[in-house]
């Protein structure tokens, strides 16, 4: 595990530096425009984005058949899977810490900008985001980093398309009894639970995805030729 | 002591069979050369030993253990490989740091000694290294943790003669130490003439011939003679007959018998590993 983490951090020194920069840019771009709500977005986005960037960077290190060198060392396949999850968690923590640091700096009154402090709910959102994105790990073990890159591009397109479709769907929905009544039930149920409930629900879904991703990764990587 | 014991190993990929019932035993303290043309299955065999590739059937035991006990087995193996397996973003020092974290018996002094001996700049990124430098770095890593079995996968492919000679020198020095065993896969057979105790010829996933250095020198012979001798030859006397304008060239597994039978009608020389490979494969394919 230590050797894998060392490999991922030593080979990703530029990403580590960028991690700090991301948080700063996000704060300047979003967190300082308003107060607490925007800061909250920056904390969550910085933590998750930096963790995910570290994970993608780790996938990308596989060019030139480098895993053949790594796995000629005494490192088990089981450990290799665990390391990806640990890396995602450490990267997320690293990004969050930078965001918190910049948040504290911008809270100094003399600077003249005001940001909100990170909240427990933000931390929950960060962990949820991290767990939701862990589904890329089995995908990587199954198809490799090149296809992951294409998947990301397609995913972004689908995300935008999904938002457009969603907005269209919502525009059709004119109050209770509209064309898609079951959505009202779902939205109503989620709204009724409050902010904490919604975030716990997402965290639960994230946890489910993370557990499935871990199990699938172990299964895939155990039988894969390197 | 038996270091490596491979039995009836079968490995196939989607469209081809890479290893087709390979059995091989390597004893401690010997150099075994694994030769064969490109695509013979040499790299696949080494990948299976390291559990980088998983066999369809068969058994591999390394140091008496199942090879799938990755931690115990790999901690006693050094792997010298093609230059492309290294992380280009890192330097030699960082590569050593990673290896040190993985191996329990890492010897930093030995590693630093090899870096100096091989004139590898510690702080330069590996992407600035030549192919030869990358192979030397791979050798430095493989020899810095007291590995008992060193697997070399085409280490000298594409290297200049000076570096290849250096590689052989290092292998010679390592052999003088206790418990060192080498399995060297290559298609540059001239390297093996100098150091191999055993030669195994692999082709199309099967072992075609396995001989010891003594057998190669004492029993096998490269024969040259007139074509009329071929008509008189009994089955199995000549292997991989090549006809030319002067007569024929062939390998024999029993040089004394041929010498007795044909006297000065035939010229018999000590075959090189390349002769062995060329004629054994020709026989197999004819």
């Amino acid at each position: 595990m230590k050797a894998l983490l060392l490999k991922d951090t030593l080979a990703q020194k530029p990403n580590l530096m960028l991690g700090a920069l991301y948080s700063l840019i996000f704060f300047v771009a979003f967190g300082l425009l308003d107060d607490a709500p925007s800061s909250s977005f920056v904390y969550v986005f910085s933590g998750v984005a930096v963790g995910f960037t570290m994970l993608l960077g780790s996938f990308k290190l596989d060019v030139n058949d480098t895993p053949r060198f790594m796995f000629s060392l005494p490192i088990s396949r089981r450990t290799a899977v665990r390391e990806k999850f640990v890396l995602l968690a450490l990267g997320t923590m690293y990004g969050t810490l930078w965001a918190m640091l910049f948040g504290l700096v911008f809270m100094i009154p003399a600077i003249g900008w005001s940001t909100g402090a990170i909240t427990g709910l933000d931390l929950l959102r960060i962990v949820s985001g991290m767990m939701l994105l862990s589904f890329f790990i089995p995908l990587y073990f199954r198809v490799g980093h090149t296809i992951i890159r294409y998947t990301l591009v397609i995913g972004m397109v689908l995300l935008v398309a999904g938002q457009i479709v969603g907005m269209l769907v919502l525009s059709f929905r004119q109050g209770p009894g509209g064309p898609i009544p079951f959505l009202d039930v779902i939205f109503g149920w989620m709204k009724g639970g409050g902010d904490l409930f919604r975030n716990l629900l997402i965290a639960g879904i994230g946890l489910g995805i993370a557990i499935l991703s871990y199990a699938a990764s172990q299964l895939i990587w155990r039988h894969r030729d390197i | 002591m038996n270091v490596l014991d491979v039995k009836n190993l079968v490995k196939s990929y989607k469209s081809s069979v890479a290893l087709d019932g390979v059995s091989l035993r390597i004893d401690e303290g010997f150099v075994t050369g694994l030769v064969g043309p490109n695509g013979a299955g040499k790299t696949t065999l080494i990948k299976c030993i390291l559990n980088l590739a998983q066999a369809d059937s068969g058994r591999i035991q390394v140091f008496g253990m199942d090879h799938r006990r990755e931690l115990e087995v790999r901690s006693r193996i050094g792997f010298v490989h093609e230059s492309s397996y290294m992380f280009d973003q890192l330097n030699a020092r960082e590569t050593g740091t990673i290896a040190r974290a993985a191996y329990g018996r890492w010897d930093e002094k030995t590693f630093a000694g090899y870096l100096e001996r091989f004139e590898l700049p510690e702080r330069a990124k590996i992407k600035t290294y030549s192919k030869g430098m990358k192979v030397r770095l791979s050798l430095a890593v493989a020899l810095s943790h007291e590995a008992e079995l060193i697997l070399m996968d085409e280490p000298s492919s594409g290297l200049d003669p000076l570096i290849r000679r250096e590689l052989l020198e290092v292998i010679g020095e390592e052999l003088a130490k206790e418990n060192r065993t080498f399995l060297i896969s290559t298609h540059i057979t001239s390297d093996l003439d100098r150091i191999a105790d055993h030669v195994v010829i692999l082709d199309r996933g099967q072992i075609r011939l396995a001989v010891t250095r003594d057998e190669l020198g004492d029993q096998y012979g490269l024969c040259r003679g007139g074509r009329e001798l071929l008509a008189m030859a009994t089955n199995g006397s000549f292997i991989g007959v090549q006809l030319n304008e002067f007569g024929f060239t062939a390998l024999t597994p029993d040089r004394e018998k041929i010498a007795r039978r044909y006297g000065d009608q035939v010229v018999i020389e000590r075959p090189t590993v390349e002769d062995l490979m060329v004629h054994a494969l020709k026989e197999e394919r004819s």
Side-chain angles (χ1 to χ4, degrees), chain B residues 205-226:
Chain B
Q206 292 185 333
I207 291 180
R208 304 297 182 187
L209 194 63
V211 295
T212 64
R213 182 206 288 264
D214 291 342
E215 284 169 346
L216 188 64
D218 300 340
Q219 294 174 25
Y220 281 79
L222 186 70
C223 308
R224 291 194 180 87

Side-chain angles (χ1 to χ4, degrees), chain A residues 3 6-7 10-11 13 61 64-66 68-77 222-223 225-226, chain B residues 11 13 47 51-54 70-71 74-75 79 81 84-90 94 98 101-103:
Chain A
L6 267 171
K7 177 261 293 181
L10 287 172
K13 277 182 279 186
L61 292 176
N64 297 339
D65 292 325
T66 49
R68 287 185 194 164
F69 165 66
M70 279 316 286
F71 293 102
S72 69
L73 307 179
I75 295 168
S76 71
R77 287 168 182 252
R222 197 169 63 193
H223 298 294
D225 286 352
I226 300 168
Chain B
K11 170 69 184 172
Y13 294 108
K47 282 168 70 179
N51 202 28
L52 297 177
Q54 303 198 341
E70 291 162 326
L71 300 186
R74 288 192 200 144
S75 62
F79 181 39
H81 43 80
S84 63
Y85 297 170
M86 289 287 181
F87 291 97
D88 282 345
Q89 309 86 330
L90 302 179
E94 291 166 335
I98 292 167
Y103 289 112

